[in-house]
Amino acid sequence: MTSHLQPSAEQLLRQVASLTKEKALQAERIQQLQQQLNWFKRQLFGQKSEKRLEIDPAIQQSLFDGLLPKEEKPEPPCQDVAAHKRKGKVRDGCSTETGLRFDDNVPVKVVEVLPNELKGDKANNYEIISYKTHYLLAQQQASFVVIEERRPVIKEISTEKLITTPAPSRVLDNSLADVSFLAGMLVDKFLYHLPLYRQHQRLTEAGITLSRSLLTQLTAKAIALLKPIADAQYQSVLMSQVLAIDETPIKAGRKAPGKMKQGYFWPMYGDQGEIIFHYCSSRSGQHLESLLGNFQGTLLTDGYAAYERYAAKSSSITHAQCWAHTRRGFEKALAIEPEAAGEALAIIGELYRYEESIRESKLTGEAKKHYRQTQSEAVVKAFWRWCDQQCQRLDLVPSNPLSRALKYAMERIDALEVFLSDPEVAIDTNHLERGLRPIPMGKKNWLFCWTESGAEDVATIQSLLATCRLHNVNAYTYLVDVLQRVSHHPAKDVHLLTPRLWKRHFSGEPMRSVIEE
């Protein structure tokens, strides 16, 4: 009777196999949860920068010495270094003894502090021979000025005919807002991310009563005047030989009570240092057809598959991809695979050190291409050999973050090598990500766009303001000028009002507001 209750050898083997399989699944699940926990810890406590601290190679051997061909480097010549000598920083503008620096555009109010000896009857006994000057940085409360515009009504004596002085042309007809107010409101909202309701509070505290909806209307009308300029900049960007493109989310338009639609801004960065934003209702790749039109050249992107599918449709488009996005996969694998991921980051870091040398040496064109092919190409080939070696590991399961990083890189070999043969192609899309920062920064303040047309307005104004920053153009001065100039500027020359060309043609003598005259 007892013998029939004992499990057979076959049953025991099945139980062992089942338990082994269950244990493997549990281990994989624990690893996944550990990855999530490490990610959350990093978001709370870790550094947000992607920069990696490198140990001096003089005290640590390179992790990929065996992968790269050895190169003999001549010893640097000996130099005599003067003791206790430091190179001072070169700074522009006026500098004071307190370290305060400012340029000639900053107004200075002189306050004279008199001693008691120069007050009263004894003042004649003293004379001033010099001054000791000290600079203090001060701030006035946000000030608004009401312009009282007086136009005389005159009478011709002989005919007694009354003549009224015609009103000067304005940016917005029958509007109470001067161009200086419109430009300041746009700069505060879209450059410094001060929502209109906060600007309304500042107006109220300054003693000015306006409806908040009026500020919204003025914003929309002012941006509508700038739309042709942004369209001209869009055409300039499409003529680029190298075009970087990305997408970033934005809540725009009501989907249901208490819920907003999910939309996307698609920023594009041209090779003339211009950025254009477009709002689309989704992240679907079908928008690329309308956004890029007949673009021909090199398309620099992240790893989003829609870009690869779009580029594959046209033989006139070369698809290049971003090494920074490739690097991020290995950076995420550091917690689980510290040694292997560290090797990958060290190799990619060598590429970036060569790019830094290119910038410092100001290499361009063929010189830049030659440097990349003689220096960077060997590192890239070594990186692919290292990836092949890692892919042979039997202990790497598909859920391991290192496996995902390797798969991401190996699927994009051709696109990641484009920068080696084209000196105009950047190694990554970091320049574009820096340019689109006003969108996520703004969302922390104005949160969302109430309508989709409002999101299109944001795209228009941010296209101009982001480009102003790239070309070191004062956004307020630029907007005051073009808002007045656009109404009588020839339509065929509207491209001259884009920030890049405006700086060349009009920044010397910009149109000013009456408040500045």
Side-chain angles (χ1 to χ4, degrees):
M1 192 75 178
T2 306
S3 60
H4 293 290
L5 297 178
Q6 294 179 350
S8 64
E10 184 178 353
Q11 291 175 330
L12 287 174
L13 289 175
R14 284 200 299 268
Q15 291 177 3
V16 170
S18 176
L19 291 173
T20 302
K21 183 178 180 180
E22 182 179 353
K23 180 181 178 182
L25 291 174
Q26 289 178 347
E28 185 175 352
R29 179 58 177 165
I30 290 172
Q31 187 182 60
Q32 294 174 351
L33 293 174
Q34 185 64 45
Q35 294 172 24
Q36 295 178 10
L37 178 61
N38 292 336
W39 184 86
F40 282 115
K41 283 183 176 180
R42 180 175 174 185
Q43 300 308 305
L44 288 174
F45 311 114
Q47 67 176 24
K48 299 300 186 292
S49 172
E50 293 185 357
K51 290 183 178 180
R52 180 172 168 83
L53 296 177
E54 301 290 347
I55 301 177
D56 187 351
I59 60 175
Q60 179 178 356
Q61 187 178 5
S62 174
L63 291 170
F64 50 97
D65 279 346
L67 299 174
L68 296 178
K70 294 186 177 180
E71 177 183 350
E72 295 184 0
K73 298 182 179 179
E75 296 183 2
C78 297
Q79 297 179 352
D80 294 331
V81 180
H84 307 292
K85 184 177 181 180
R86 294 185 179 180
K87 184 179 179 181
K89 293 183 178 179
V90 178
R91 295 187 173 101
D92 297 329
C94 176
S95 180
T96 70
E97 79 285 353
T98 58
L100 180 64
R101 297 180 298 278
F102 54 92
D103 57 30
D104 296 335
N105 296 323
V106 179
V108 176
K109 181 179 181 180
V110 178
V111 177
E112 190 167 350
V113 181
L114 296 178
N116 293 331
E117 287 80 358
L118 293 183
K119 299 176 182 177
D121 299 335
K122 298 181 179 180
N124 294 330
N125 298 332
Y126 300 91
E127 63 175 346
I128 299 175
I129 59 172
S130 66
Y131 284 92
K132 285 187 174 294
T133 304
H134 182 77
Y135 290 90
L136 298 171
L137 183 61
Q139 180 180 357
Q140 290 181 329
Q141 184 179 358
S143 60
F144 299 92
V145 178
V146 175
I147 299 173
E148 180 182 352
E149 192 177 76
R150 304 180 67 183
R151 294 180 287 124
V153 178
I154 60 178
K155 182 177 69 172
E156 188 176 358
I157 297 176
S158 60
T159 62
E160 295 189 353
K161 179 182 178 181
L162 299 179
I163 302 174
T164 302
T165 305
S169 60
R170 311 186 196 284
V171 174
L172 300 177
D173 293 335
N174 301 320
S175 173
L176 54 75
D178 179 62
V179 64
S180 60
F181 181 81
L182 296 175
M185 180 173 59
L186 294 177
V187 167
D188 282 346
K189 176 173 173 58
F190 297 105
L191 189 61
Y192 300 115
H193 314 300
L194 188 66
L196 290 182
Y197 82 89
R198 293 182 188 162
Q199 296 191 44
H200 183 264
Q201 290 174 348
R202 291 173 59 184
L203 284 164
T204 302
E205 292 175 355
I208 300 172
T209 303
L210 288 177
S211 64
R212 193 183 301 175
S213 61
L214 177 60
L215 298 183
T216 304
Q217 295 170 14
L218 292 175
T219 300
K221 290 179 179 179
I223 294 177
L225 295 176
L226 301 171
K227 185 69 164 61
I229 304 175
D231 291 341
Q233 183 166 287
Y234 172 43
Q235 296 303 318
S236 174
V237 168
L238 287 182
M239 294 173 63
S240 302
Q241 291 300 312
V242 179
L243 176 63
I245 187 171
D246 203 345
E247 71 288 333
T248 185
I250 179 67
K251 298 289 185 181
R254 293 185 64 190
K255 182 178 181 180
K259 293 185 179 180
M260 305 294 293
K261 296 179 182 177
Q262 178 66 70
Y264 283 85
F265 284 122
W266 294 68
M268 295 185 287
Y269 194 115
D271 54 17
Q272 296 291 330
E274 296 171 312
I275 295 182
I276 195 74
F277 290 87
H278 279 284
Y279 170 77
C280 296
S281 58
S282 71
R283 195 180 177 226
S284 172
Q286 64 184 4
H287 296 297
L288 290 172
E289 299 287 346
S290 58
L291 290 177
L292 295 176
N294 297 323
F295 169 74
Q296 298 179 355
T298 301
L299 194 64
L300 178 60
T301 73
D302 57 17
Y304 183 30
Y307 300 124
E308 184 175 0
R309 290 194 295 268
Y310 174 79
K313 296 178 182 179
S314 174
S315 59
S316 60
I317 296 179
T318 302
H319 188 206
Q321 292 202 34
C322 169
W323 275 92
H325 283 80
T326 303
R327 180 190 183 280
R328 290 171 192 172
F330 294 99
E331 196 273 339
K332 291 177 181 178
L334 271 176
I336 304 299
E337 297 281 347
E339 183 177 352
E343 291 179 2
L345 294 176
I347 298 176
I348 298 175
E350 188 72 9
L351 285 179
Y352 276 87
R353 279 190 286 275
Y354 287 141
E355 291 298 309
E356 184 178 2
S357 298
I358 290 174
R359 288 192 297 272
E360 291 176 350
S361 303
K362 298 181 180 180
L363 300 180
T364 58
E366 287 300 318
K368 183 177 180 180
K369 178 181 177 180
H370 177 73
Y371 187 91
R372 280 176 169 176
Q373 291 181 340
T374 56
Q375 303 294 331
S376 302
E377 187 171 1
V379 179
V380 172
K381 299 304 181 185
F383 179 71
W384 300 135
R385 291 196 297 271
W386 179 88
C387 288
D388 284 334
Q389 294 173 6
Q390 294 299 313
C391 289
Q392 306 305 317
R393 288 174 49 182
L394 300 178
D395 60 326
L396 278 181
V397 295
S399 61
N400 190 307
L402 181 61
S403 298
R404 292 195 289 267
L406 290 168
K407 180 181 179 182
Y408 181 98
M410 298 296 285
E411 288 177 348
R412 294 165 172 81
I413 292 179
D414 292 339
L416 288 171
E417 290 186 348
V418 171
F419 83 105
L420 296 173
S421 57
D422 189 342
E424 303 304 321
V425 176
I427 192 174
D428 54 36
T429 60
N430 287 351
H431 58 298
L432 175 59
E433 293 192 359
R434 288 191 296 271
L436 65 82
R437 284 188 67 189
I439 301 301
M441 290 293 292
K443 286 191 299 184
K444 292 180 179 293
N445 294 273
W446 41 262
L447 302 179
F448 57 86
C449 296
W450 185 245
T451 63
E452 291 185 276
S453 61
E456 293 173 357
D457 287 344
V458 172
T460 297
I461 187 64
Q462 286 293 6
S463 298
L464 300 178
L465 293 182
T467 306
C468 280
R469 179 166 287 178
L470 288 175
H471 291 273
N472 198 25
V473 170
N474 184 284
Y476 176 82
T477 303
Y478 170 76
L479 290 177
V480 168
D481 179 275
V482 297
L483 284 172
Q484 298 177 90
R485 195 183 298 273
V486 70
S487 61
H488 59 268
H489 191 81
K492 63 182 180 64
D493 294 329
V494 68
H495 61 283
L496 297 179
L497 298 184
T498 58
R500 176 176 65 89
L501 296 178
W502 179 90
K503 182 178 181 180
R504 185 189 308 168
H505 292 90
F506 303 111
S507 62
E509 296 182 358
M511 298 179 70
R512 303 285 186 180
S513 164
V514 65
I515 198 66
E516 299 178 86
E517 294 177 354

